[in-house]
Amino acid sequence: MWTPGAQIFLRAEGRINPDFDAAANTPPDVAQVLERARLQLGATWGVVGGFVQLQDARNWGFEGTTSSNEANTDLHQGWMEIAGAIPRRKLSGSIRAGRQEIDWGSQRMIGSFLWAPIARSFDALRLQGTAGRWRADAFVAMLAPPGTFTVGEPPRSVQTRGDQLAAGLVSFAAHDAFNIEAMVMADIAAASMAAPTRDRRVYDFGGRLWGSPLGGLRYEAEGHGQAGRNEGLNHRAWAWAANLSYTRESKRVKPGGKIGYAMASGSRCTGSSAAGVANCGAATSSDFFNFYPTNHIHYGLVDLLGWRNMRDLEVSGSLAVDWFSASLGYHFFQLNEASGRWRDAAGGQVGSGWDTTNTDRTLGHEFDVVATLKPWKPLMVQPGYGVFLPRKAGRTLGGDSPQHFVYLWLVTTF
């Protein structure tokens, strides 16, 4: 059986006051149009299956001229699979090899990051299986191949083991009201041309609980502990998140609400940020390593926080009517370690990054408004606006003025 498909993704967006300094306007406000076009074909023949997905991802105007091609078209997914099932014994399983998207749970640690035009996929070997209420999922991925590179003066050759990711989980669906999942992950990253002294070995042990004990009421909690080596230091870190949501079950009008809290450990910095100390002078590596998540869906539209050295109180309300839905969200952001680093959703440094003399945790408040329209099954139209209001530590590290983010997103999928 052959299954073709296609998708067009367009998003016009603007970021106003990206440096929190409205007077200087340096760097300037950002306005861009992002596009993703996908063509795909899936096929199955008995127990054998395959999937190929080509993708062109671009920022409008990024190519040099209207007649040039900077080779931004690539294979986003391409895998083959052997899958089978014994329905009477409630057994099923599959082995998949190739480039593939992987989403685990709420994507706090492993996610396909579909918010970004390029998105994320892994060159991986993946095994999945179910047995009644039990499910297992494991994969190994090569993030960078072994090889050699040249550094220094006079030049010298350095051999690298490359970067690898291995992960596995086991879950048990006891009841609609109670599901439990245990997971383990290992990220191994050796030296590279961009980071010639890197030697990262981070091991993560985590668990997740979720369920719906009553109609429309849902809860979820997830926690992780980490050990290993990172940035040349012993790595010890942790993170947890929990939320409770309710959506009234109705055929037409569905109001809802959500409250949640997330925390992640951070390192105490001792070196001056002006000196550009790579590991901020910390004695140990305590910044939670966020692996490869989809942070955008969890920590605000403006994307100024990821799951590392942070505290996030979230409260939101929503309303859905037929093909229209809208939500209003609020986040109260803090640093977990006041002298530690402030990093955005992608892991980049925000403002000066850290201040060893800072004693206040409060970064600021964020308000988000999103509307989603699906007037036709293949089409989604979503306008959104978020504003981050810096306070105390946010002003010390970033600046005094609010940062705004606004977008209009259209996706057509066939």
Side-chain angles (χ1 to χ4, degrees), residues 378-404:
L379 176 65
M380 183 203 76
V381 180
Q382 185 182 93
Y385 167 74
V387 57
F388 180 88
L389 308 173
R391 294 290 184 270
K392 298 180 179 179
R395 290 175 170 173
T396 299
L397 302 177
D400 295 330
S401 300
Q403 184 174 140
H404 305 264

Side-chain angles (χ1 to χ4, degrees), residues 173-198:
H175 189 272
D176 287 345
F178 182 76
N179 302 266
I180 186 169
E181 182 175 85
M183 66 193 87
V184 60
M185 290 169 274
D187 182 88
I188 312 296
S192 68
M193 178 72 78
T197 62
R198 183 178 62 182

Side-chain angles (χ1 to χ4, degrees), residues 328-341:
L328 173 63
Y330 164 76
H331 292 264
F332 175 54
F333 289 124
Q334 294 180 297
L335 296 171
N336 189 62
E337 175 55 57
S339 65
R341 286 173 285 195

Side-chain angles (χ1 to χ4, degrees), residues 61-220:
F62 116 92
E63 292 183 297
T65 70
T66 55
S67 59
S68 65
N69 188 338
E70 268 68 34
N72 45 308
T73 301
D74 198 4
L75 177 72
H76 181 65
Q77 294 193 81
W79 48 260
M80 62 181 297
E81 180 180 70
I82 298 175
I86 307 176
R88 60 187 174 84
R89 295 188 178 181
K90 297 182 180 180
L91 296 175
S92 65
S94 65
I95 301 175
R96 179 180 296 179
R99 190 156 185 84
Q100 54 193 282
E101 291 182 350
I102 301 176
D103 292 324
W104 272 14
S106 296
Q107 303 185 45
R108 290 186 186 271
M109 297 294 281
I110 303 289
S112 50
F113 193 29
L114 295 178
W115 167 257
I118 294 176
R120 177 183 291 119
S121 54
F122 298 89
D123 297 322
L125 173 65
R126 186 180 187 188
L127 287 77
Q128 299 181 81
T130 61
R133 296 177 181 271
W134 292 90
R135 184 177 76 90
D137 188 352
F139 68 91
V140 290
M142 180 178 292
L143 308 181
T148 59
F149 61 93
T150 302
V151 295
E153 186 62 44
R156 60 184 179 89
S157 181
V158 177
Q159 188 169 5
T160 175
R161 301 184 306 273
D163 303 350
Q164 296 85 34
L165 170 67
L169 68 79
V170 176
S171 65
F172 179 65
H175 189 272
D176 287 345
F178 182 76
N179 302 266
I180 186 169
E181 182 175 85
M183 66 193 87
V184 60
M185 290 169 274
D187 182 88
I188 312 296
S192 68
M193 178 72 78
T197 62
R198 183 178 62 182
D199 184 13
R200 184 175 69 227
R201 290 163 289 157
V202 174
Y203 307 99
D204 182 281
F205 306 89
R208 189 169 71 99
L209 303 173
W210 74 97
S212 182
L214 298 171
L217 182 67
R218 178 178 171 82
Y219 71 89
E220 182 184 33

Side-chain angles (χ1 to χ4, degrees), residues 23-43:
N25 197 30
T26 305
D29 299 341
V30 176
Q32 57 186 359
V33 179
L34 307 175
E35 180 178 1
R36 177 171 74 215
R38 287 179 171 179
L39 288 174
Q40 63 191 49
L41 181 64

